[in-house]
Amino acid sequence: MHQFRWALTRRCPRCGHKPVFESWYRMTTTCGECDLLFEREPGYWVGAMTINTAVIALLFLGTFGTAVWLTWPDPPWAWIAAGVVGMNLLFPVFFYPFAKTLWMAIDLTFQKVTDQDEFGS
Ligand SMILES: [Zn+2]
């Protein structure tokens, strides 16, 4: 389970090495410690996009539902709409690097590393 803790701190989910990002979004090709190739196959990051989409959908439902519930019977619809739209625009941009490392942690849980997943092999 440590791979998920490392993923939530934007570390390599295999060994915990940091940094694995050159900037907020730009990930290094391999881990500087364990040489894991981060993009293990073409289309690999679709899993990260799925996680990002699922998290924002849950956050939207939770925020919208809570806002309506707290302000019922007279919810300020315009403010609630502005808030959830703003959140839906900004949160995925912030969360995407975490979605990538979380996806890698999930993938490493179910698909063990082979020689082809390590740089220089
Ligand atoms: Zn590593």
Side-chain angles (χ1 to χ4, degrees):
M1 295 306 286
H2 55 271
Q3 68 265 33
F4 291 100
R5 183 170 36 93
W6 287 334
L8 288 172
T9 55
R10 299 173 67 225
R11 295 173 183 265
C12 173
R14 184 181 186 205
C15 71
H17 177 74
K18 189 176 182 177
V20 295
F21 286 89
E22 296 169 349
S23 66
W24 189 257
Y25 298 105
R26 189 176 183 85
M27 191 172 224
T28 58
T29 307
T30 62
C31 175
E33 183 69 27
C34 69
D35 289 336
L36 176 68
L37 276 172
F38 291 139
E39 189 171 353
R40 297 175 79 180
E41 58 193 352
Y44 184 72
W45 299 122
V46 172
M49 288 183 245
T50 303
I51 289 173
N52 210 17
T53 303
V55 168
I56 193 63
L58 291 174
L59 193 64
F60 166 77
L61 290 174
T63 304
F64 182 79
T66 302
V68 171
W69 180 64
L70 289 175
T71 58
W72 195 260
D74 192 22
W77 294 112
W79 286 105
I80 292 172
V84 294
V85 167
M87 181 187 70
N88 278 12
L89 291 174
L90 297 176
F91 188 80
V93 174
F94 162 77
F95 189 70
Y96 188 61
F98 297 97
K100 281 179 117 173
T101 51
L102 279 171
W103 167 242
M104 290 168 50
I106 291 168
D107 184 49
L108 288 172
T109 300
F110 294 104
Q111 184 177 331
K112 297 302 174 201
V113 174
T114 64
D115 288 345
Q116 292 145 351
D117 297 325
E118 291 181 340
F119 184 71
S121 298

